[in-house]
Amino acid sequence: MGEFDEATAVAARDDGGWRGTLAEGWDINGVPNGGYLLSLVAAGLRESAGRPDPLTVSMHFLRPSAPGVVDLDVHPGRQGARHATVAGTARQGETAVAQAVATFTDLSTAGDPHRVDLEPPELPDPGECVQRRGLASSGIGQKVELRLHPHDTGFVTRDPSGDPLVRGWARLADGRPVDTLALLLLADAFPPAVFNAGLPVAWVPTVQLTVHIRARPAPGWVRGRFRTRAVTGGYLEEDGELWDAAGDLVAQSRQLAVVPRPR
Amino acid sequence: MGEFDEATAVAARDDGGWRGTLAEGWDINGVPNGGYLLSLVAAGLRESAGRPDPLTVSMHFLRPSAPGVVDLDVHPGRQGARHATVAGTARQGETAVAQAVATFTDLSTAGDPHRVDLEPPELPDPGECVQRRGLASSGIGQKVELRLHPHDTGFVTRDPSGDPLVRGWARLADGRPVDTLALLLLADAFPPAVFNAGLPVAWVPTVQLTVHIRARPAPGWVRGRFRTRAVTGGYLEEDGELWDAAGDLVAQSRQLAVVPRPR
Protein backbone atom coordinates (compact mmCIF):
# COMPACT_ATOMS: atom_id res chain seq x y z
CA MET A 1 0.00 0.00 0.00
CA GLY A 2 1.52 3.27 -1.09
CA GLU A 3 0.54 6.89 -1.40
CA PHE A 4 -0.81 6.24 -4.88
CA ASP A 5 -3.28 3.68 -3.51
CA GLU A 6 -4.50 6.09 -0.86
CA ALA A 7 -4.78 8.89 -3.41
CA THR A 8 -6.86 6.75 -5.79
CA ALA A 9 -9.13 5.08 -3.22
CA VAL A 10 -12.84 5.21 -4.07
CA ALA A 11 -15.98 4.47 -2.09
CA ALA A 12 -19.24 3.23 -3.53
CA ARG A 13 -22.24 5.55 -3.68
CA ASP A 14 -25.77 4.20 -3.46
CA ASP A 15 -26.51 4.96 -7.13
CA GLY A 16 -23.70 2.95 -8.72
CA GLY A 17 -21.31 5.89 -8.78
CA TRP A 18 -18.06 6.35 -6.88
CA ARG A 19 -16.57 8.99 -4.64
CA GLY A 20 -12.87 9.71 -4.19
CA THR A 21 -10.66 12.55 -3.13
CA LEU A 22 -8.09 14.36 -5.20
CA ALA A 23 -5.30 14.45 -2.63
CA GLU A 24 -3.05 17.41 -2.00
CA GLY A 25 0.42 17.13 -3.40
CA TRP A 26 -0.22 15.56 -6.81
CA ASP A 27 -0.51 18.92 -8.53
CA ILE A 28 1.18 21.17 -11.00
CA ASN A 29 0.93 24.71 -9.68
CA GLY A 30 -2.07 23.75 -7.57
CA VAL A 31 -4.01 21.86 -10.26
CA PRO A 32 -4.06 18.07 -9.80
CA ASN A 33 -1.98 16.41 -12.50
CA GLY A 34 -4.03 15.08 -15.42
CA GLY A 35 -2.58 11.60 -15.15
CA TYR A 36 -3.49 11.54 -11.48
CA LEU A 37 -7.10 12.53 -12.19
CA LEU A 38 -7.15 9.88 -14.92
CA SER A 39 -5.90 7.28 -12.43
CA LEU A 40 -8.51 8.16 -9.84
CA VAL A 41 -11.34 8.07 -12.36
CA ALA A 42 -10.05 4.80 -13.80
CA ALA A 43 -9.88 3.35 -10.28
CA GLY A 44 -13.60 4.04 -9.89
CA LEU A 45 -14.54 2.77 -13.33
CA ARG A 46 -12.44 -0.33 -12.70
CA GLU A 47 -14.60 -1.15 -9.70
CA SER A 48 -17.67 -0.92 -11.91
CA ALA A 49 -16.00 -3.07 -14.53
CA GLY A 50 -14.79 -5.75 -12.13
CA ARG A 51 -11.66 -6.49 -14.18
CA PRO A 52 -8.12 -5.96 -12.94
CA ASP A 53 -6.46 -4.02 -15.76
CA PRO A 54 -7.29 -0.88 -17.67
CA LEU A 55 -6.77 -1.75 -21.34
CA THR A 56 -7.68 1.56 -22.96
CA VAL A 57 -8.79 4.74 -21.24
CA SER A 58 -9.99 7.96 -22.90
CA MET A 59 -10.43 11.15 -20.93
CA HIS A 60 -11.59 14.59 -21.97
CA PHE A 61 -10.64 17.36 -19.56
CA LEU A 62 -13.37 19.96 -19.15
CA ARG A 63 -11.76 22.39 -16.74
CA PRO A 64 -9.01 22.42 -14.10
CA SER A 65 -9.86 20.30 -11.09
CA ALA A 66 -8.88 21.10 -7.52
CA PRO A 67 -7.84 19.03 -4.51
CA GLY A 68 -10.92 17.70 -2.73
CA VAL A 69 -13.85 15.38 -3.22
CA VAL A 70 -14.62 14.03 -6.69
CA ASP A 71 -17.88 12.31 -7.55
CA LEU A 72 -17.93 9.89 -10.43
CA ASP A 73 -21.26 9.35 -12.17
CA VAL A 74 -21.19 6.03 -14.00
CA HIS A 75 -22.75 5.40 -17.40
CA PRO A 76 -22.93 1.62 -17.83
CA GLY A 77 -21.57 0.15 -21.03
CA ARG A 78 -21.01 -3.58 -21.44
CA GLN A 79 -19.78 -6.49 -19.38
CA GLY A 80 -18.48 -8.88 -22.02
CA ALA A 81 -16.55 -12.12 -21.82
CA ARG A 82 -13.20 -10.50 -22.50
CA HIS A 83 -13.77 -6.78 -21.99
CA ALA A 84 -15.84 -4.57 -19.72
CA THR A 85 -16.44 -0.98 -20.78
CA VAL A 86 -17.94 1.83 -18.72
CA ALA A 87 -18.12 5.60 -19.06
CA GLY A 88 -18.10 8.21 -16.36
CA THR A 89 -18.47 11.88 -15.64
CA ALA A 90 -16.25 13.25 -12.85
CA ARG A 91 -17.73 16.13 -10.88
CA GLN A 92 -16.60 18.38 -8.09
CA GLY A 93 -19.83 19.50 -6.52
CA GLU A 94 -22.15 20.14 -9.47
CA THR A 95 -19.30 21.06 -11.78
CA ALA A 96 -18.15 18.44 -14.30
CA VAL A 97 -14.35 18.35 -14.56
CA ALA A 98 -13.75 15.38 -16.86
CA GLN A 99 -15.50 12.71 -18.91
CA ALA A 100 -14.01 9.33 -19.60
CA VAL A 101 -14.62 5.97 -21.18
CA ALA A 102 -12.54 2.99 -20.16
CA THR A 103 -12.28 -0.63 -21.22
CA PHE A 104 -10.90 -3.14 -18.76
CA THR A 105 -9.67 -6.68 -19.15
CA ASP A 106 -7.31 -9.20 -17.57
CA LEU A 107 -3.81 -8.74 -18.98
CA SER A 108 -2.29 -11.65 -17.08
CA THR A 109 -2.31 -13.81 -20.20
CA ALA A 110 -0.67 -12.33 -23.28
CA GLY A 111 -1.50 -13.29 -26.84
CA ASP A 112 0.22 -13.85 -30.13
CA PRO A 113 1.31 -12.74 -32.70
CA HIS A 114 4.08 -10.34 -31.71
CA ARG A 115 5.70 -7.59 -33.75
CA VAL A 116 6.89 -4.32 -32.24
CA ASP A 117 8.56 -1.90 -34.66
CA LEU A 118 9.60 0.42 -31.84
CA GLU A 119 12.62 0.40 -29.55
CA PRO A 120 12.83 1.54 -25.95
CA PRO A 121 14.63 4.87 -25.61
CA GLU A 122 18.38 4.77 -25.13
CA LEU A 123 19.02 6.41 -21.78
CA PRO A 124 22.05 6.94 -19.57
CA ASP A 125 21.74 5.14 -16.24
CA PRO A 126 19.31 6.81 -13.87
CA GLY A 127 22.21 8.15 -11.81
CA GLU A 128 23.53 9.97 -14.87
CA CYS A 129 20.18 11.49 -15.76
CA VAL A 130 18.72 14.72 -14.45
CA GLN A 131 16.64 14.26 -11.33
CA ARG A 132 13.39 16.13 -11.39
CA ARG A 133 12.16 15.10 -7.97
CA GLY A 134 12.04 18.15 -5.80
CA LEU A 135 13.02 20.46 -8.63
CA ALA A 136 9.65 20.95 -10.26
CA SER A 137 7.42 23.75 -9.00
CA SER A 138 4.76 21.18 -8.33
CA GLY A 139 3.65 18.49 -5.97
CA ILE A 140 3.65 15.77 -8.59
CA GLY A 141 7.42 16.12 -8.77
CA GLN A 142 7.52 14.77 -5.20
CA LYS A 143 5.29 11.80 -5.95
CA VAL A 144 6.76 10.66 -9.26
CA GLU A 145 10.51 10.43 -9.44
CA LEU A 146 11.78 11.37 -12.88
CA ARG A 147 15.32 11.09 -14.20
CA LEU A 148 15.41 12.83 -17.54
CA HIS A 149 17.80 12.38 -20.42
CA PRO A 150 20.33 15.23 -20.21
CA HIS A 151 19.66 16.04 -23.88
CA ASP A 152 16.04 16.76 -23.05
CA THR A 153 16.29 19.11 -20.07
CA GLY A 154 17.38 22.26 -21.87
CA PHE A 155 13.95 23.80 -21.43
CA VAL A 156 14.63 24.08 -17.68
CA THR A 157 17.39 26.60 -18.31
CA ARG A 158 15.66 28.20 -21.30
CA ASP A 159 18.07 26.44 -23.62
CA PRO A 160 15.74 23.97 -25.36
CA SER A 161 17.23 21.34 -27.65
CA GLY A 162 14.97 22.36 -30.52
CA ASP A 163 13.69 18.79 -30.63
CA PRO A 164 10.21 18.36 -29.10
CA LEU A 165 11.22 15.20 -27.28
CA VAL A 166 11.40 14.20 -23.61
CA ARG A 167 12.85 10.88 -22.47
CA GLY A 168 13.59 9.56 -19.05
CA TRP A 169 13.15 7.10 -16.24
CA ALA A 170 10.13 7.17 -13.94
CA ARG A 171 8.96 5.44 -10.79
CA LEU A 172 6.81 6.21 -7.80
CA ALA A 173 8.87 8.09 -5.23
CA ASP A 174 7.70 5.95 -2.31
CA GLY A 175 8.74 2.73 -4.03
CA ARG A 176 5.21 1.48 -4.63
CA PRO A 177 5.46 -0.81 -7.68
CA VAL A 178 4.12 0.49 -10.98
CA ASP A 179 1.10 -1.55 -12.04
CA THR A 180 -1.30 -1.01 -14.92
CA LEU A 181 -3.22 1.65 -12.99
CA ALA A 182 -0.07 3.59 -12.14
CA LEU A 183 0.97 3.51 -15.81
CA LEU A 184 -1.94 5.91 -16.37
CA LEU A 185 -0.26 8.34 -14.00
CA LEU A 186 3.14 7.99 -15.64
CA ALA A 187 1.60 8.55 -19.07
CA ASP A 188 1.07 12.21 -18.16
CA ALA A 189 3.82 12.85 -15.58
CA PHE A 190 6.71 13.92 -17.81
CA PRO A 191 7.30 17.56 -18.78
CA PRO A 192 5.65 18.44 -22.11
CA ALA A 193 7.88 17.53 -25.04
CA VAL A 194 6.94 20.78 -26.76
CA PHE A 195 8.94 22.67 -24.13
CA ASN A 196 12.02 21.57 -26.05
CA ALA A 197 10.73 22.85 -29.39
CA GLY A 198 11.88 26.40 -28.88
CA LEU A 199 8.39 27.72 -29.55
CA PRO A 200 6.73 30.41 -27.41
CA VAL A 201 4.73 27.87 -25.38
CA ALA A 202 4.57 28.20 -21.61
CA TRP A 203 1.82 25.76 -20.68
CA VAL A 204 -0.27 23.22 -22.55
CA PRO A 205 -3.57 22.26 -20.90
CA THR A 206 -4.65 18.81 -22.00
CA VAL A 207 -7.98 18.54 -23.83
CA GLN A 208 -7.96 14.80 -24.41
CA LEU A 209 -5.75 11.94 -23.28
CA THR A 210 -5.92 8.32 -24.40
CA VAL A 211 -3.75 5.63 -22.86
CA HIS A 212 -3.52 2.09 -24.17
CA ILE A 213 -2.03 -0.37 -21.70
CA ARG A 214 -0.08 -3.00 -23.62
CA ALA A 215 1.20 -5.21 -20.80
CA ARG A 216 1.63 -5.48 -17.04
CA PRO A 217 5.00 -3.90 -16.27
CA ALA A 218 7.93 -5.83 -14.82
CA PRO A 219 9.23 -4.43 -11.50
CA GLY A 220 11.65 -1.53 -11.65
CA TRP A 221 12.12 1.77 -13.42
CA VAL A 222 9.82 2.60 -16.31
CA ARG A 223 11.31 4.31 -19.33
CA GLY A 224 9.30 6.94 -21.16
CA ARG A 225 9.60 8.69 -24.49
CA PHE A 226 7.27 11.55 -25.40
CA ARG A 227 7.30 13.40 -28.68
CA THR A 228 5.22 16.14 -30.27
CA ARG A 229 5.03 16.00 -34.04
CA ALA A 230 2.31 18.51 -34.88
CA VAL A 231 1.75 21.94 -33.38
CA THR A 232 -0.90 23.52 -35.55
CA GLY A 233 -4.21 25.31 -35.40
CA GLY A 234 -3.84 26.22 -31.74
CA TYR A 235 -3.36 22.63 -30.59
CA LEU A 236 -0.63 20.07 -30.31
CA GLU A 237 -0.51 16.30 -30.10
CA GLU A 238 1.96 14.45 -27.92
CA ASP A 239 2.61 10.73 -28.33
CA GLY A 240 4.16 8.72 -25.56
CA GLU A 241 5.50 5.26 -24.97
CA LEU A 242 6.29 3.60 -21.67
CA TRP A 243 8.66 0.63 -21.47
CA ASP A 244 9.31 -1.61 -18.49
CA ALA A 245 12.59 -2.82 -17.03
CA ALA A 246 12.42 -5.95 -19.17
CA GLY A 247 12.38 -3.81 -22.31
CA ASP A 248 8.75 -4.46 -23.14
CA LEU A 249 6.31 -1.84 -24.38
CA VAL A 250 3.76 -1.44 -21.57
CA ALA A 251 1.77 1.65 -22.59
CA GLN A 252 1.15 4.04 -25.46
CA SER A 253 -0.39 7.43 -24.91
CA ARG A 254 -1.57 10.28 -27.08
CA GLN A 255 -2.87 13.60 -25.96
CA LEU A 256 -4.29 16.69 -27.62
CA ALA A 257 -3.50 19.90 -25.78
CA VAL A 258 -4.29 23.53 -26.25
CA VAL A 259 -1.41 25.77 -27.25
CA PRO A 260 -2.45 29.07 -25.69
CA ARG A 261 -1.90 31.97 -28.00
CA PRO A 262 1.09 34.03 -26.82
CA ARG A 263 0.00 37.12 -24.95
CA MET B 1 -26.56 17.15 -49.41
CA GLY B 2 -25.00 13.77 -50.02
CA GLU B 3 -25.46 10.21 -48.93
CA PHE B 4 -23.22 10.82 -45.93
CA ASP B 5 -25.55 13.55 -44.67
CA GLU B 6 -28.57 11.30 -44.99
CA ALA B 7 -26.74 8.45 -43.29
CA THR B 8 -25.71 10.63 -40.32
CA ALA B 9 -29.00 12.51 -39.84
CA VAL B 10 -30.26 12.58 -36.26
CA ALA B 11 -33.57 13.57 -34.70
CA ALA B 12 -34.02 14.95 -31.20
CA ARG B 13 -35.63 12.82 -28.54
CA ASP B 14 -37.62 14.36 -25.72
CA ASP B 15 -34.98 13.55 -23.10
CA GLY B 16 -32.01 15.33 -24.69
CA GLY B 17 -30.85 12.25 -26.56
CA TRP B 18 -30.76 11.65 -30.30
CA ARG B 19 -31.98 9.00 -32.68
CA GLY B 20 -30.45 8.09 -36.01
CA THR B 21 -30.33 5.15 -38.36
CA LEU B 22 -27.31 3.13 -39.37
CA ALA B 23 -28.00 2.97 -43.08
CA GLU B 24 -27.49 -0.10 -45.22
CA GLY B 25 -24.44 -0.09 -47.42
CA TRP B 26 -21.81 1.42 -45.10
CA ASP B 27 -20.73 -1.98 -43.83
CA ILE B 28 -17.86 -4.40 -43.85
CA ASN B 29 -19.33 -7.87 -44.24
CA GLY B 30 -22.66 -6.67 -42.87
CA VAL B 31 -21.31 -4.75 -39.85
CA PRO B 32 -21.51 -0.96 -40.17
CA ASN B 33 -18.02 0.49 -40.52
CA GLY B 34 -16.57 1.84 -37.27
CA GLY B 35 -15.81 5.23 -38.76
CA TYR B 36 -19.39 5.46 -39.96
CA LEU B 37 -20.77 4.67 -36.51
CA LEU B 38 -18.35 7.21 -35.09
CA SER B 39 -19.62 9.82 -37.56
CA LEU B 40 -23.26 9.18 -36.71
CA VAL B 41 -22.63 9.36 -32.97
CA ALA B 42 -20.53 12.50 -33.41
CA ALA B 43 -23.32 14.05 -35.47
CA GLY B 44 -25.68 13.60 -32.54
CA LEU B 45 -23.21 14.80 -29.93
CA ARG B 46 -22.44 17.79 -32.15
CA GLU B 47 -26.07 18.84 -31.96
CA SER B 48 -25.86 18.72 -28.18
CA ALA B 49 -22.62 20.69 -28.26
CA GLY B 50 -23.85 23.35 -30.65
CA ARG B 51 -20.41 23.84 -32.20
CA PRO B 52 -19.59 23.15 -35.85
CA ASP B 53 -16.44 21.03 -35.66
CA PRO B 54 -15.46 17.87 -33.83
CA LEU B 55 -12.03 18.58 -32.33
CA THR B 56 -11.36 15.30 -30.60
CA VAL B 57 -13.58 12.24 -30.48
CA SER B 58 -13.01 9.05 -28.47
CA MET B 59 -15.09 5.95 -29.06
CA HIS B 60 -15.05 2.56 -27.41
CA PHE B 61 -16.75 -0.19 -29.41
CA LEU B 62 -18.70 -2.60 -27.24
CA ARG B 63 -20.02 -5.06 -29.81
CA PRO B 64 -20.77 -5.14 -33.55
CA SER B 65 -23.66 -2.88 -34.52
CA ALA B 66 -26.19 -3.62 -37.24
CA PRO B 67 -28.04 -1.52 -39.79
CA GLY B 68 -31.11 0.05 -38.19
CA VAL B 69 -32.12 2.52 -35.53
CA VAL B 70 -29.52 3.80 -33.06
CA ASP B 71 -30.44 5.67 -29.90
CA LEU B 72 -27.88 8.00 -28.39
CA ASP B 73 -28.18 8.67 -24.67
CA VAL B 74 -26.40 11.93 -23.86
CA HIS B 75 -24.31 12.53 -20.74
CA PRO B 76 -23.82 16.31 -20.49
CA GLY B 77 -20.30 17.59 -19.97
CA ARG B 78 -19.45 21.25 -20.36
CA GLN B 79 -20.34 24.16 -22.58
CA GLY B 80 -17.29 26.39 -22.35
CA ALA B 81 -16.24 29.51 -24.17
CA ARG B 82 -13.98 27.67 -26.59
CA HIS B 83 -14.93 24.01 -26.26
CA ALA B 84 -18.07 22.01 -25.66
CA THR B 85 -17.73 18.42 -24.46
CA VAL B 86 -20.42 15.77 -24.22
CA ALA B 87 -20.46 12.01 -23.76
CA GLY B 88 -22.87 9.49 -25.15
CA THR B 89 -23.89 5.86 -25.09
CA ALA B 90 -25.16 4.47 -28.41
CA ARG B 91 -27.78 1.75 -28.12
CA GLN B 92 -29.66 -0.47 -30.49
CA GLY B 93 -32.77 -1.35 -28.56
CA GLU B 94 -31.56 -1.94 -25.02
CA THR B 95 -28.14 -3.11 -26.17
CA ALA B 96 -25.25 -0.65 -25.87
CA VAL B 97 -22.99 -0.80 -28.93
CA ALA B 98 -20.55 2.07 -28.30
CA GLN B 99 -19.61 4.76 -25.82
CA ALA B 100 -18.02 8.03 -26.81
CA VAL B 101 -16.82 11.36 -25.55
CA ALA B 102 -16.39 14.25 -27.95
CA THR B 103 -15.14 17.81 -27.73
CA PHE B 104 -16.34 20.31 -30.29
CA THR B 105 -15.14 23.77 -31.24
CA ASP B 106 -15.06 26.20 -34.16
CA LEU B 107 -12.03 25.48 -36.33
CA SER B 108 -12.64 28.36 -38.74
CA THR B 109 -9.89 30.40 -37.11
CA ALA B 110 -6.51 28.74 -36.80
CA GLY B 111 -3.90 29.64 -34.22
CA ASP B 112 -0.16 29.99 -33.92
CA PRO B 113 2.52 28.73 -33.44
CA HIS B 114 3.02 26.20 -36.22
CA ARG B 115 5.44 23.30 -36.39
CA VAL B 116 4.62 20.02 -38.10
CA ASP B 117 7.40 17.41 -38.14
CA LEU B 118 5.44 15.14 -40.46
CA GLU B 119 5.12 15.04 -44.21
CA PRO B 120 2.13 14.02 -46.29
CA PRO B 121 2.60 10.61 -47.89
CA GLU B 122 4.20 10.49 -51.31
CA LEU B 123 1.62 8.92 -53.59
CA PRO B 124 1.34 8.29 -57.31
CA ASP B 125 -1.52 10.21 -58.91
CA PRO B 126 -4.92 8.76 -58.07
CA GLY B 127 -5.18 7.32 -61.56
CA GLU B 128 -2.00 5.33 -60.98
CA CYS B 129 -3.13 3.99 -57.63
CA VAL B 130 -5.21 0.89 -57.01
CA GLN B 131 -8.91 1.58 -56.93
CA ARG B 132 -10.73 -0.12 -54.11
CA ARG B 133 -14.22 1.09 -54.95
CA GLY B 134 -16.24 -1.88 -55.99
CA LEU B 135 -13.47 -4.29 -55.18
CA ALA B 136 -13.96 -4.63 -51.45
CA SER B 137 -16.39 -7.25 -50.15
CA SER B 138 -18.22 -4.53 -48.32
CA GLY B 139 -20.64 -1.70 -48.72
CA ILE B 140 -18.25 0.92 -47.40
CA GLY B 141 -16.12 0.36 -50.49
CA GLN B 142 -18.99 1.80 -52.54
CA LYS B 143 -19.37 4.87 -50.34
CA VAL B 144 -15.74 5.80 -49.84
CA GLU B 145 -13.57 5.82 -52.93
CA LEU B 146 -10.05 4.68 -52.11
CA ARG B 147 -7.01 4.74 -54.37
CA LEU B 148 -4.26 2.86 -52.60
CA HIS B 149 -0.52 3.09 -53.09
CA PRO B 150 0.48 0.10 -55.25
CA HIS B 151 3.16 -0.78 -52.69
CA ASP B 152 0.49 -1.26 -50.06
CA THR B 153 -2.03 -3.52 -51.78
CA GLY B 154 -0.12 -6.78 -51.65
CA PHE B 155 -2.40 -8.09 -48.95
CA VAL B 156 -5.23 -8.31 -51.51
CA THR B 157 -3.37 -11.01 -53.44
CA ARG B 158 -1.87 -12.61 -50.33
CA ASP B 159 1.48 -11.05 -51.17
CA PRO B 160 1.85 -8.51 -48.34
CA SER B 161 4.74 -6.05 -48.45
CA GLY B 162 5.89 -7.04 -44.97
CA ASP B 163 5.50 -3.40 -43.95
CA PRO B 164 2.37 -2.71 -41.83
CA LEU B 165 1.58 0.44 -43.77
CA VAL B 166 -1.36 1.54 -45.93
CA ARG B 167 -1.36 4.82 -47.86
CA GLY B 168 -3.76 6.20 -50.35
CA TRP B 169 -6.22 8.77 -51.58
CA ALA B 170 -9.78 8.94 -50.28
CA ARG B 171 -12.97 10.84 -51.04
CA LEU B 172 -16.69 10.28 -50.80
CA ALA B 173 -17.85 8.39 -53.84
CA ASP B 174 -20.81 10.68 -54.51
CA GLY B 175 -18.63 13.77 -54.58
CA ARG B 176 -19.92 15.20 -51.31
CA PRO B 177 -17.08 17.38 -49.95
CA VAL B 178 -15.09 16.06 -47.01
CA ASP B 179 -15.68 18.22 -43.96
CA THR B 180 -14.58 17.74 -40.37
CA LEU B 181 -17.39 15.26 -39.69
CA ALA B 182 -16.54 13.17 -42.75
CA LEU B 183 -12.89 13.06 -41.66
CA LEU B 184 -14.10 10.83 -38.82
CA LEU B 185 -15.36 8.39 -41.43
CA LEU B 186 -12.13 8.48 -43.44
CA ALA B 187 -10.10 7.90 -40.27
CA ASP B 188 -11.37 4.31 -40.21
CA ALA B 189 -12.11 3.60 -43.87
CA PHE B 190 -8.75 2.28 -45.08
CA PRO B 191 -7.84 -1.41 -44.96
CA PRO B 192 -5.96 -2.30 -41.76
CA ALA B 193 -2.24 -1.61 -42.09
CA VAL B 194 -1.49 -4.85 -40.27
CA PHE B 195 -2.75 -6.78 -43.30
CA ASN B 196 0.59 -5.92 -44.90
CA ALA B 197 2.63 -7.24 -41.98
CA GLY B 198 2.60 -10.83 -43.12
CA LEU B 199 1.23 -11.97 -39.77
CA PRO B 200 -1.63 -14.47 -39.44
CA VAL B 201 -4.26 -11.76 -38.93
CA ALA B 202 -7.54 -11.94 -40.80
CA TRP B 203 -9.62 -9.31 -39.05
CA VAL B 204 -9.03 -6.73 -36.37
CA PRO B 205 -12.12 -5.53 -34.50
CA THR B 206 -11.58 -2.06 -33.10
CA VAL B 207 -11.78 -1.66 -29.34
CA GLN B 208 -11.07 2.06 -29.15
CA LEU B 209 -10.67 4.82 -31.72
CA THR B 210 -9.59 8.40 -31.07
CA VAL B 211 -9.59 11.01 -33.82
CA HIS B 212 -8.13 14.48 -33.43
CA ILE B 213 -9.27 16.94 -36.11
CA ARG B 214 -6.47 19.38 -36.80
CA ALA B 215 -8.03 21.61 -39.47
CA ARG B 216 -10.95 21.95 -41.85
CA PRO B 217 -9.90 20.20 -45.06
CA ALA B 218 -9.44 22.00 -48.37
CA PRO B 219 -11.63 20.64 -51.19
CA GLY B 220 -10.39 17.61 -53.07
CA TRP B 221 -8.85 14.24 -52.41
CA VAL B 222 -7.69 13.45 -48.88
CA ARG B 223 -4.43 11.56 -48.46
CA GLY B 224 -4.13 8.99 -45.71
CA ARG B 225 -1.27 7.12 -44.11
CA PHE B 226 -1.91 4.37 -41.56
CA ARG B 227 0.76 2.42 -39.77
CA THR B 228 0.84 -0.25 -37.07
CA ARG B 229 3.93 -0.20 -34.89
CA ALA B 230 3.03 -2.57 -32.07
CA VAL B 231 1.27 -5.92 -32.30
CA THR B 232 1.59 -7.41 -28.85
CA GLY B 233 -0.42 -9.02 -26.08
CA GLY B 234 -3.36 -9.81 -28.33
CA TYR B 235 -3.85 -6.23 -29.47
CA LEU B 236 -2.48 -3.81 -32.00
CA GLU B 237 -2.36 -0.07 -32.34
CA GLU B 238 -2.79 1.71 -35.64
CA ASP B 239 -1.88 5.37 -36.08
CA GLY B 240 -3.27 7.38 -38.95
CA GLU B 241 -2.84 10.77 -40.50
CA LEU B 242 -5.10 12.48 -42.99
CA TRP B 243 -3.83 15.32 -45.19
CA ASP B 244 -5.86 17.61 -47.42
CA ALA B 245 -5.27 18.67 -51.02
CA ALA B 246 -3.38 21.74 -49.82
CA GLY B 247 -0.87 19.51 -48.04
CA ASP B 248 -2.08 20.34 -44.54
CA LEU B 249 -2.49 17.82 -41.74
CA VAL B 250 -6.23 17.65 -41.08
CA ALA B 251 -6.62 14.67 -38.76
CA GLN B 252 -4.69 12.22 -36.62
CA SER B 253 -6.16 8.94 -35.50
CA ARG B 254 -5.14 6.11 -33.25
CA GLN B 255 -6.97 2.91 -32.64
CA LEU B 256 -6.50 -0.14 -30.46
CA ALA B 257 -7.82 -3.33 -32.00
CA VAL B 258 -8.08 -6.94 -30.98
CA VAL B 259 -5.84 -9.37 -32.80
CA PRO B 260 -7.90 -12.53 -32.65
CA ARG B 261 -5.84 -15.53 -31.78
CA PRO B 262 -5.38 -17.74 -34.86
CA ARG B 263 -7.75 -20.70 -34.86
Side-chain angles (χ1 to χ4, degrees), chain B:
Chain B
M1 185 81 172
E3 283 188 288
F4 180 69
D5 302 283
E6 295 167 24
T8 56
V10 292
R13 296 190 327 213
D14 290 342
D15 62 355
W18 302 93
R19 175 169 286 188
T21 301
L22 283 167
E24 300 274 355
W26 298 77
D27 64 292
I28 297 174
N29 296 323
V31 177
N33 167 262
Y36 169 45
L37 177 60
L38 181 68
S39 301
L40 177 58
V41 168
L45 297 178
R46 184 171 66 170
E47 294 295 319
S48 295
R51 313 295 166 97
D53 299 300
L55 170 66
T56 169
V57 184
S58 317
M59 177 170 273
H60 292 236
F61 295 86
L62 310 186
R63 50 167 59 83
S65 60
V69 170
V70 175
D71 271 297
L72 182 61
D73 299 334
V74 169
H75 318 303
R78 181 188 185 202
Q79 293 278 351
R82 180 170 179 177
H83 299 137
T85 299
V86 60
T89 300
R91 293 185 289 103
Q92 295 198 286
E94 294 302 308
T95 304
V97 296
Q99 294 191 292
V101 190
T103 300
F104 298 85
T105 191
D106 182 335
L107 287 174
S108 62
T109 59
D112 289 327
H114 183 87
R115 172 176 171 156
V116 177
D117 296 341
L118 298 162
E119 295 287 338
E122 298 273 350
L123 296 173
D125 289 340
E128 293 162 21
C129 284
V130 180
Q131 189 166 352
R132 286 289 289 170
R133 182 180 177 184
L135 293 182
S137 64
S138 63
I140 190 75
Q142 310 289 330
K143 306 295 188 185
V144 176
E145 186 174 354
L146 293 182
R147 305 284 180 98
L148 299 182
H149 194 301
H151 176 270
D152 304 341
T153 56
F155 70 91
V156 176
T157 52
R158 298 179 187 275
D159 183 27
S161 66
D163 193 11
L165 170 68
V166 166
R167 296 159 296 178
W169 305 89
R171 63 182 180 188
L172 291 169
D174 68 358
R176 189 261 197 204
V178 175
D179 58 8
T180 52
L181 190 71
L183 286 174
L184 302 178
L185 173 69
L186 299 188
D188 192 38
F190 284 70
V194 74
F195 284 1
N196 278 324
L199 297 171
V201 174
W203 57 295
V204 283
T206 304
V207 179
Q208 201 277 353
L209 173 61
T210 300
V211 185
H212 301 317
I213 303 297
R214 305 305 303 266
R216 293 186 181 175
W221 284 100
V222 170
R223 275 174 285 183
R225 175 170 45 214
F226 296 84
R227 181 181 287 283
T228 288
R229 291 183 178 83
V231 184
T232 183
Y235 300 89
L236 64 80
E237 129 284 350
E238 182 181 279
D239 288 357
E241 301 152 21
L242 296 174
W243 301 79
D244 71 6
D248 287 323
L249 180 67
V250 292
Q252 292 175 286
S253 68
R254 174 173 283 180
Q255 69 171 267
L256 188 78
V258 172
V259 182
R261 296 174 178 87
R263 277 179 267 194

Side-chain angles (χ1 to χ4, degrees), chain A:
Chain A
M1 185 80 172
E3 283 188 287
F4 180 69
D5 302 283
E6 295 167 25
T8 56
V10 293
R13 296 190 329 214
D14 290 341
D15 62 355
W18 302 92
R19 175 169 285 188
T21 301
L22 283 168
E24 301 274 356
W26 298 77
D27 63 294
I28 297 175
N29 296 322
V31 177
N33 167 262
Y36 169 45
L37 176 60
L38 181 68
S39 301
L40 177 58
V41 167
L45 297 178
R46 184 171 65 170
E47 294 295 319
S48 296
R51 313 295 166 97
D53 300 300
L55 171 66
T56 169
V57 183
S58 317
M59 178 171 273
H60 292 236
F61 295 86
L62 309 186
R63 51 168 58 83
S65 61
V69 170
V70 174
D71 271 297
L72 181 62
D73 299 334
V74 169
H75 319 302
R78 182 187 185 202
Q79 293 277 351
R82 180 169 178 177
H83 299 137
T85 299
V86 59
T89 301
R91 292 185 289 104
Q92 295 198 285
E94 294 302 309
T95 305
V97 296
Q99 294 191 292
V101 190
T103 300
F104 299 86
T105 190
D106 182 335
L107 288 173
S108 61
T109 58
D112 289 325
H114 183 87
R115 173 175 170 158
V116 178
D117 295 340
L118 298 163
E119 294 288 338
E122 297 275 350
L123 296 174
D125 289 340
E128 294 162 21
C129 284
V130 180
Q131 189 165 353
R132 287 288 289 169
R133 182 179 178 184
L135 294 182
S137 64
S138 63
I140 189 76
Q142 310 288 332
K143 306 296 188 186
V144 176
E145 186 174 356
L146 293 183
R147 305 284 180 101
L148 299 182
H149 194 302
H151 176 271
D152 305 341
T153 56
F155 70 91
V156 177
T157 51
R158 297 179 188 273
D159 182 27
S161 67
D163 193 10
L165 171 68
V166 167
R167 295 160 295 177
W169 305 89
R171 63 183 179 188
L172 290 168
D174 67 358
R176 189 261 198 204
V178 175
D179 58 8
T180 52
L181 190 71
L183 287 174
L184 302 178
L185 172 68
L186 299 188
D188 193 38
F190 284 70
V194 73
F195 285 1
N196 278 324
L199 296 171
V201 174
W203 58 296
V204 282
T206 304
V207 179
Q208 201 276 353
L209 173 61
T210 300
V211 184
H212 301 317
I213 303 297
R214 304 305 303 266
R216 292 186 181 175
W221 285 100
V222 171
R223 275 174 286 183
R225 175 169 47 213
F226 296 84
R227 181 181 288 284
T228 288
R229 291 183 178 84
V231 184
T232 184
Y235 299 90
L236 64 79
E237 128 284 350
E238 181 180 280
D239 288 357
E241 300 151 22
L242 296 174
W243 301 79
D244 71 6
D248 286 324
L249 179 68
V250 292
Q252 292 176 284
S253 67
R254 174 172 283 179
Q255 69 171 268
L256 188 78
V258 172
V259 182
R261 296 173 177 87
R263 279 180 267 193

